[in-house]
Amino acid sequence: MDEERLNQITEEMYLLFPLFKNKLFKHRKRLKQKNLPHSYFHVLKVLKGRGPLPMSEIGRRVCISKSNMTSLIDKLVENGLAERIPDTNDRRVINIAITQKGNDLIKEWHIHSSQDIKKKLSSIPDEDLETFHESIKNIRNILKNMDDS
């Protein structure tokens, strides 16, 4: 693909992300009411889906630097949302696991955020909604197949 077309796609992507955030993910207000940064939810969702992991692996999965992960995990543990568990195979490694309180918070957040998104999507005409759905599936497939370099 030529350079000009790649520049156009790049610019469209930069414009797309803020639109997604502003149009579909405004439910972050709910997170602020609980005084929890959105990064907490990213970490908790990884822990819920993958089980206990070392801090470095969690940071890699959510794109948070190691230095920021330490304070974030400290806060999650302090709030009872996660716990530190020694690794059974390597005593130098401490894994982080989600607690029941963390699971409950993720469940509550998912219910509320899904309701908010569904409400917004229901205002779109059916034909546009179907196009949107197909577009999202296409983008996801393309991104999954993209080279990580």
Side-chain angles (χ1 to χ4, degrees):
M1 184 170 288
D2 72 354
E3 188 71 21
E4 181 58 33
R5 188 68 176 143
L6 288 172
N7 286 337
Q8 290 171 348
I9 293 169
T10 302
E11 288 304 313
E12 288 294 330
M13 285 175 41
Y14 280 124
L15 297 172
L16 179 66
F17 296 134
L19 271 176
F20 259 92
K21 180 182 168 204
N22 292 328
K23 295 289 184 176
L24 292 174
F25 296 104
K26 282 254 177 148
H27 55 271
R28 290 183 181 202
K29 290 176 193 168
R30 246 193 249 315
L31 304 181
K32 289 181 181 159
Q33 290 168 352
K34 292 188 179 287
N35 294 323
L36 299 174
H38 203 263
S39 57
Y40 284 25
F41 290 89
H42 289 297
V43 170
L44 291 173
K45 282 191 68 101
V46 166
L47 293 173
K48 183 175 176 66
R50 300 288 180 170
L53 292 170
M55 248 195 286
S56 58
E57 180 63 18
I58 299 167
R60 189 183 67 74
R61 290 180 183 270
V62 295
C63 300
I64 297 175
S65 70
K66 196 172 184 177
S67 59
N68 289 332
M69 279 301 299
T70 302
S71 62
L72 193 151
I73 295 300
D74 286 346
K75 296 273 194 225
L76 288 173
V77 170
E78 188 179 299
N79 286 302
L81 301 171
E83 61 185 341
R84 289 181 172 87
I85 300 173
D87 190 292
T88 55
N89 299 323
D90 186 345
R91 63 186 188 159
R92 297 170 296 174
V93 176
I94 301 293
N95 290 315
I96 310 302
I98 191 169
T99 63
Q100 187 57 50
K101 184 177 177 183
N103 273 316
D104 293 345
L105 182 67
I106 287 294
K107 185 177 180 181
E108 177 189 342
W109 174 78
H110 185 73
I111 288 168
H112 290 297
S113 64
S114 292
Q115 288 171 346
D116 287 349
I117 292 170
K118 285 178 196 175
K119 183 178 176 184
K120 291 174 182 177
L121 290 175
S122 68
S123 69
I124 300 172
D126 287 348
E127 187 177 316
D128 289 345
L129 191 56
E130 193 55 41
T131 300
F132 185 64
H133 182 226
E134 288 301 314
S135 298
I136 288 173
K137 288 192 307 189
N138 288 333
I139 290 169
R140 229 176 118 226
N141 286 333
I142 290 166
L143 291 175
K144 281 192 325 192
N145 294 325
M146 187 184 290
D147 186 16
D148 285 338
S149 58

